[in-house]
Amino acid sequence: MATATFDNIYPLGTKYWGVSSLDASDDDGGIRFRNWPIYGLRQPDAISYFLHGDTGYIVTANEGAPTKVFFQNVSYDEQLKGKDIYKMDLLSSSFPSERLREALSEDPELGCLRFSSADGLDPTEPSKLYRLHAFGGRGVSIFRADDLSLVWDSGDDLERMEAKFYPEIFNSRYDDKPDETPTDEFDDRSCKRGPEPQSLTVGRIGNQTIIFISAQKTGSVFIYSLDTGEQITPTFQSVYWGGRADLTWEEAYRARQVGDMDPEDMSFVPGDRSPNGTPLLLVAGTSSGTVSVYEVMESVVTAKASTKTPDLYLGLTTILCLLVISG
């Protein structure tokens, strides 16, 4: 940093959705996971470094974002809907799948999903695509810090866990219409970047490394634990959403049960630095204008968690509402 020079640039690779699954449409009848032979650009919004044993790792929250430029008379937007790619005949003659080509023409399949018009261009037909790249990895990845090799990816965990425990807000988003409820935007983000993991933080509780990830649009917080050992295989513990689906945004805000919409940042406070001796998670919600303080609990009371008994979940300590939503 002192010399303002780069040592190296490491591409983070792509994620293949032929192995993991995703819900790629808001017009497919609800929550519907499918495998597609397409790729995802990880494009992390947040990264964090941690030590596990004697090895350093980097964990990324793979939100995704298309390139958009608006400057003077220049306007450029990298993203195209699948059906636009189909209508504009932008697939090369070497595009590998006729079935996939047809899926781009239908909204319930891949017609509304956003793709890059810059990645996957065919070298023999530079203006056309032979591979399809959607934006974001809809999850979390862990890389070795010394060579940026991928050691773990959450696959479709985040999307599936939210579908399982909070299906009423699945791939939804905050909309600043005070008379609407969170369920009014159900499935809305499936055509774009799904849960959009935005921020993360890493802490230690006992001999475990704990990874907290938040989803931008719903404000859900996911907890993974990583036991001491050579294997880098985080275990899903629980997911927490602090909102009320039965209340309008205005009602939930006034009741301080709006959750943490657009959680731009999180911070972990270990027990030995916490004012009450319990590990804390601090979450800043940008759109909700909130700062929430959660206790990281190690017993089961009302946790929404995996099918096994969770070791960790969040208990709300306090929420500070900083803005007022007016009707």
Side-chain angles (χ1 to χ4, degrees), residues 212 221 223 238 240 281 294-297 303 312-316:
F212 303 90
V221 178
I223 304 176
S238 62
Y240 177 86
L281 180 69
Y294 297 96
E295 290 184 333
V296 184
M297 314 295 288
L312 300 165
Y313 75 100
L314 296 182
L316 180 64

Side-chain angles (χ1 to χ4, degrees), residues 103-314:
L104 293 173
S105 67
E106 301 293 336
D107 277 348
E109 296 189 302
L110 293 176
C112 72
L113 187 63
R114 273 62 166 181
F115 294 98
S116 170
S117 60
D119 288 276
L121 293 172
D122 192 329
T124 62
E125 298 177 73
S127 63
K128 296 197 174 186
L129 300 162
Y130 79 107
R131 282 186 180 176
L132 296 174
H133 293 80
F135 299 99
R138 302 195 180 201
V140 184
S141 302
I142 298 178
F143 303 85
R144 282 183 62 102
D146 55 2
D147 61 3
L148 268 292
S149 59
L150 179 67
V151 295
W152 181 81
D153 188 275
S154 63
D156 51 21
D157 249 20
L158 268 58
E159 209 165 358
R160 285 191 179 276
M161 292 303 103
E162 195 163 74
K164 180 176 181 179
F165 297 114
Y166 295 105
E168 68 274 21
I169 60 160
F170 173 78
N171 282 355
S172 67
R173 66 181 176 94
Y174 170 73
D175 194 338
D176 59 353
K177 297 176 182 176
D179 58 340
E180 288 193 350
T181 70
T183 60
D184 289 327
E185 300 298 329
F186 166 81
D187 206 20
D188 178 79
R189 302 302 292 179
S190 294
C191 285
K192 294 184 178 178
R193 297 180 291 278
E196 299 182 57
Q198 182 180 33
S199 60
L200 59 81
T201 190
V202 181
R204 293 282 298 178
I205 297 179
N207 64 350
Q208 291 183 314
T209 297
I210 311 301
I211 304 171
F212 303 90
I213 308 103
S214 65
Q216 180 185 19
K217 299 304 181 181
T218 62
S220 303
V221 178
F222 302 82
I223 304 176
Y224 283 82
S225 65
L226 185 58
D227 291 326
T228 300
E230 295 299 319
Q231 195 74 15
I232 301 297
T233 309
T235 300
F236 172 76
Q237 292 293 338
S238 62
V239 55
Y240 177 86
W241 177 61
R244 283 276 300 274
D246 60 328
L247 300 178
T248 65
W249 289 115
E250 183 169 10
E251 291 169 342
Y253 193 91
R254 296 190 185 284
R256 296 198 174 194
Q257 293 181 303
V258 71
D260 308 290
M261 310 312 301
D262 193 4
E264 192 66 43
D265 200 10
M266 299 192 294
S267 184
F268 176 76
V269 181
D272 59 1
R273 296 181 60 191
S274 168
N276 65 358
T278 301
L280 302 176
L281 180 69
L282 314 181
V283 183
T286 305
S287 296
S288 54
T290 55
V291 176
S292 298
V293 182
Y294 297 96
E295 290 184 333
V296 184
M297 314 295 288
E298 294 189 73
S299 60
V300 179
V301 180
T302 58
K304 293 231 177 182
S306 56
T307 52
K308 76 177 189 66
T309 301
D311 298 320
L312 300 165
Y313 75 100
L314 296 182

